Structure formats: C-alpha cells, structure tokens
Amino acid sequence: MGKLITREQQEVENTWDLSSIFESDQAFDQAFESIESKLDQAEKFKGGFDSSDKLLEALKTERELGNELSKLYVYAHLKHDQDTSNDTYSAMETRARGLAVKFSSAWSFLVPAIMEIPEDTLQAYAEEDSFKEFKFDLINLNKKRPYILSDKEEQLLAEAGEVMHTPSQVYGMFNNADITFEAAVDKDGKTHELTQGNFIELLKSEDRVLRESAYKNLYSSYDKFKNTLSQTLAGEVNTHVFSASARGYDSSRHQALSNNHIPEKVYDTLVKTVNDNLHLLHRYTEIRKKFLELDSLKMYDMYVPLVDDVDFNMTYDNAKEWLVKALQPLGEEYISIIQEGLDNRWVDVYQNKGKRTGAYSSGTYGTNPYILMNWQDNVNNLFTLAHEFGHSVHSYYSRKNQPSNLSGYSIFVAEVASTFNEALLADYMFNNLEDDKQKLYLLNEQLEGFRGTVFRQTMFAEFEHKIHQLRESGQPLTAGKLNEVYGELNKKYFGQAVDYDDAISVEWARIPHFYMNYYVYQYSTGYSAAASLSKQVLEGGKDVAERYIEEFLKKGSSNYPIEILKNAGVDMTSSEPIQNALLVFEKQLDQFEELLSKIEK
C-alpha cells in the first residue's frame, strides 16, 4: 500500500465541491455572524400565540433560520471530515455546533407554546390555506396531546433525563473503554489482539483455531460481568417502562413506536413472518456446514466467507459504469441525477491523511447531497457507492419536492432507498458477470447481508420485546433469565445444523442496540421493504419504478412513514413485503447451490 497522500495532494476532480454552499471560508464567517445576530428574533414570539398570523410568522421565522443554520453546519462538518487534523476546520465545526445549541435553546419554547393553543383552535389553524406547508406538523402535535403532561410534570421528567440515561452511559463506558479481552491464538500459536473492532474480522479467518479462540475469549470476558451487565440492561428497560407508564402509553413498545406513528402490528407481523420462514435460515446453515466440510458447525463458523480469494478488482471509473447501468430500471431522470452527482463533484472519493473513515451521505435543504468515500479498488466499495447514492438521490428528490420542514425522512424508511440500490446492483451484476466464482462471491455477500440484517435483527427485536414484557409483568431481569431467553432464541433461529455452546447465550451483553429502545426492528423492516420494492421494480417495469419515485423518494416526511411505504407498494402491516423479501433470499439460496454444484463438477 502506497503512502497516504495529504488533502492538498488530492486531485480536485476527486473531491467534493463545497463552494456551492459557501464560496469561501470568509463567506461562512459572514453567514455565521448573520445567523447569530438573528437569534433574538425568537423573543418576539415568547408571549404566546393569540392569532394564527403570529403562529405562522413564528413557524416561518424558525424554519428560515433553521435552514440557514443547517447549511452552516453541513459546510463545517464536511470541511472537518475531509481532514480532521486541520485545526481551522475542527474549530469551525465546534463553532457551528455551539451556534446550533444556542438556536435550539432560543426556540425551545415553541412547541410548549403551541401546545397551549386549544386543540380545536390548532386544528382550525391547520386547515387554513396559509398553513398548508405546516399542516402535517400541527396535526402531529395535536396527536401527542394525550401523552403530554402538565408543565410541572414535564419539567420533572426533563430534569430526570440525565438520571434515566445512566444505565446506557454506564454500559457505553464499560463496553467501549473498560472491558478487555485475552488475545486470540491461531493454529501456529501466534497471538492476535482481540478488540470490539476486530472481533468479526477474526471470525472471518480461514483459521478455525483462531476463530474459536477469539469467540471463547470474547464471550468469557462478558460472562465474568454478566450479573453487572444484566443490571445495566434491566435499568435501561426500567426507564422505558417508567416513561411509558408516566405518560399513559399502553406499554414501552407502544411509546417507542408511536414516535414515528408505527402500528405495533408492524413489529408483530415482522417477527411472525420471519419465524414462519426460519426453515430458510436453517437451510443456509446446512449449506454452510456442508460447504465448510465440518462435522460440527459452531457459532464461530457463521462469519467465515464461503467464497473467498476471488479476483474482483474494481476501480472507481469501472464502478461508475456498473452503477449507472445497474440503476437503469429507475429511468432517465433518476440516472440523470446520479450522473450529475458523479460529474459535478458530489463525491469525495479517495483517502487522505486525516480524512474521516467509512462512508456516508450528507447535506441539507439547499445543498447538494454529498457523499464521503474512502475508495478501495474492490467490489464492496462499489456496493457502498450504490448505497450512499441511494441516500443521496432520496434526499435530492425530497428536498426538491417538499418544504424544508417536511424534506427529511424517518429512520423507519431511511435505509430503504440505499438498500434498494444495492439490490438492483446485485441483480444486474449477477446477470452480467461471466465468472462463476465472482457470482458466488456476490451471492455469498447477499446471503450474509440478509442473514445479518433480516434474520439476526429480527431475533434481536424478539429478544428486546420479550425482556420488556417480562419486566412489565413484574419479573426481574437477572443474568440467568437473559441468558435463557437469548439462548433459546438463538437455537430457534439458527436451527439444528449448529452445535451450540453456552457462550452464545451471553451475546446479549455485547449488543449496544438493546439500549436504544425498540430500534433494531427497523433494520429488518427497512431491508425487507427495499427487497420487496426492488423485486417489484425489476418485475414490473417503468410504471412501478415511477410509483417508487413519486410515492416514496419525493415524499420526504409529508406523511407517516408507514403510509408513504404503503403508497409506494409495500404495506408493512401485512406479511407480504417481508414474504417477498424472503422469496428473494430463497432464490439466492437456489442460485448459490446451483453454482456450487456447477463449479464442483
């Protein structure tokens, strides 16, 4: 690997063009001063709203300043991420964050003040033509009224917030800073440092001795602290139960899902449908056992690639060609947006010293949807590029077709467009590659993605709901009980092909998502929705693609996420989209086995 270049050595055409936000850093400074001078505009509205005109003026003022601030912050954080060692841009991002805090504080009165308006009056305001762009926001606020407490009670809950965050903070500190693991040892007796960051990579090793060592050493460390960690998790669950009860929700899950107006039926349908199709995951574990030629398939054998050492070099220029061809089913307009992004420097392509690692799509209302990459010449980076362009084009469409207050989109649908693009790319590449080993490699990646996202995250969701139900029924969450529930779920999901041991029962202790209050199910629903939608587009042609763009990509948050998906063609309250996604997984299993037998011959 060559020496890493500096930011100044990057070719300009391979970097993002942020001049469309601010022409220079001096222009940023001027905008900063302008926004800071306008923060006191909030003061004129603090007396409450005795007319619809005053409320409308407040909403427009807050939105306009928020838009200006968002552009300021995006510029600062992108500048910082392109070279985190640059003190000028580190300071710029810090200043932008500080201004955002001041803005939030200045306008923190707005929602409470709106809630002082009688429900009927606020509903009447929402029906006025002048409030058209804010109607959905006002309707949502009205729907939250039954769960909003008195001023004194709300203040008390707000002050208790820091205390209620203690379990997750303690767990985060323990999991990220304090817990250590004994080094893993390979078949030659060589030791390998074992960390949270490299654990899965070690489980992908061809050396089974190393895999077993890493697996046992990591979980033995968690097992030593299982009683303590059971209480941090129990404390987190207790805060959810208390909050839901205090506000009058039916349950913890009811409160968590109501934030995005997701019917609880969606959760139950996901779990039931996946459970009804666990034979597909069991079939996959049987294939894994057979292909790896193991008498006993262990949980530490679940990550090692079935297809490895495949020559799949992919330059950025080649990746752009694959991307544009693969997304053709979405039509000329969609492709023109992709082309605009590729040609007009939305993408910051290559690594340089100090550049933030990983990849993301970023931007805000009034800016381009920028993409950060750290390009390596492999096919995985092509899929990452497709993924991030999915986010970026979704944002582009939403911002072009919705007012800024409705141009974002819920986390419930955030990964649909990105995963959708990956599905189209995988289908196109499979049908156009000539090398069977490359096809097998792609299928292996797709099967692993499905296993890890749909099956595994649904198992997590089932575990999370079970432990909340246990606590809500008055049962204590001891380490023994958590191990029992998790261990049984693991056996149910992965099937009889796996030879289980007690170590996997404590895996719950290393999953930070269990501290995120009914979050994980959205990975499964988003992946399933994307798989179902991509299947519809590939089979249904132009009209279905247009419906996907018009009813999903352009809608932002102008409706509830469940309704947006339904209008696009997937009703997540039914089992159909999840079942369609599972059909895709089954087809990939068929293709994988067929190619395996072909190569073996």
Side-chain angles (χ1 to χ4, degrees), residues 249-287:
Y249 288 96
D250 297 338
S251 66
S252 307
R253 189 177 72 171
H254 179 212
Q255 180 180 21
L257 270 62
S258 70
N259 289 331
N260 283 325
H261 300 272
I262 307 299
E264 290 186 83
K265 182 181 179 181
V266 171
Y267 204 103
D268 293 330
T269 299
L270 169 70
V271 172
K272 183 180 185 306
T273 307
V274 170
N275 270 261
D276 289 344
N277 288 273
L278 285 178
H279 62 279
L280 295 175
L281 180 56
H282 299 168
R283 179 182 164 194
Y284 180 49
T285 57
E286 291 282 2
I287 292 172

Side-chain angles (χ1 to χ4, degrees), residues 328-348:
Q328 290 295 325
L330 290 171
E332 292 181 8
E333 183 182 66
Y334 191 98
I335 295 300
S336 70
I337 298 170
I338 295 283
Q339 205 64 59
E340 180 182 345
L342 293 171
D343 295 342
N344 294 328
R345 296 174 56 201
W346 291 4
V347 187
D348 203 84

Side-chain angles (χ1 to χ4, degrees), residues 279-521:
H279 62 279
L280 295 175
L281 180 56
H282 299 168
R283 179 182 164 194
Y284 180 49
T285 57
E286 291 282 2
I287 292 172
R288 176 170 282 276
K289 180 179 180 180
K290 177 183 176 182
F291 187 77
L292 293 176
E293 299 179 341
L294 296 173
D295 294 330
S296 175
L297 181 70
K298 295 286 191 177
M299 287 305 298
Y300 52 76
D301 298 317
M302 294 305 299
Y303 287 91
V304 59
L306 298 181
V307 183
D308 205 359
D309 195 27
V310 176
D311 183 16
F312 218 145
N313 187 66
M314 181 69 62
T315 67
Y316 182 63
D317 286 338
N318 287 339
K320 291 190 289 185
E321 293 178 13
W322 278 106
L323 179 67
V324 171
K325 290 176 180 176
L327 300 180
Q328 290 295 325
L330 290 171
E332 292 181 8
E333 183 182 66
Y334 191 98
I335 295 300
S336 70
I337 298 170
I338 295 283
Q339 205 64 59
E340 180 182 345
L342 293 171
D343 295 342
N344 294 328
R345 296 174 56 201
W346 291 4
V347 187
D348 203 84
V349 184
Y350 296 108
Q351 287 180 298
N352 57 247
K353 287 182 180 178
K355 186 176 178 180
R356 175 175 166 165
T357 59
Y360 62 64
S361 170
S362 184
T364 189
Y365 196 85
T367 77
N368 290 324
Y370 294 99
I371 294 173
L372 179 136
M373 293 288 297
N374 281 275
W375 189 266
Q376 302 293 314
D377 287 343
N378 59 57
V379 71
N380 290 337
N381 272 239
L382 165 58
F383 276 86
T384 301
L385 186 67
H387 183 101
E388 300 307 339
F389 258 110
H391 285 308
S392 285
V393 180
H394 190 185
S395 298
Y396 179 93
Y397 270 126
S398 294
R399 293 166 190 162
K400 291 290 185 181
N401 290 277
Q402 301 296 333
S404 61
N405 54 300
L406 300 177
S407 65
Y409 37 83
S410 160
I411 189 65
F412 185 76
V413 300
E415 294 300 325
V416 173
S418 52
T419 309
F420 177 100
N421 275 13
E422 289 190 71
L424 257 59
L425 176 61
D427 182 83
Y428 179 81
M429 293 191 78
F430 183 83
N431 291 324
N432 288 275
L433 285 170
E434 296 180 359
D435 188 318
D436 285 342
K437 286 190 176 180
Q438 289 182 336
K439 287 186 176 184
L440 269 176
Y441 178 87
L442 277 182
L443 284 172
N444 186 196
E445 291 294 304
Q446 294 297 301
L447 291 170
E448 276 298 287
F450 207 101
R451 177 187 71 83
T453 307
V454 177
F455 288 111
R456 183 171 164 81
Q457 299 298 333
T458 301
M459 184 182 78
F460 285 174
E462 193 169 352
F463 173 77
E464 185 173 16
H465 189 43
K466 282 180 180 291
I467 64 175
H468 278 81
Q469 287 180 311
L470 285 170
R471 191 66 196 92
E472 286 167 339
S473 66
Q475 297 188 51
L477 297 180
T478 63
K481 181 52 114 175
L482 293 172
N483 279 7
E484 176 190 335
V485 173
Y486 195 89
E488 289 303 315
L489 282 172
N490 211 80
K491 291 177 182 177
K492 179 176 75 169
Y493 272 75
F494 287 93
Q496 294 182 357
V498 180
D499 182 13
Y500 297 95
D501 55 63
D502 291 337
I504 197 62
S505 296
V506 79
E507 186 181 35
W508 57 265
R510 64 170 288 262
I511 309 299
H513 292 81
F514 294 147
Y515 293 79
M516 297 174 69
N517 196 12
Y518 285 96
Y519 183 92
V520 293
Y521 83 100

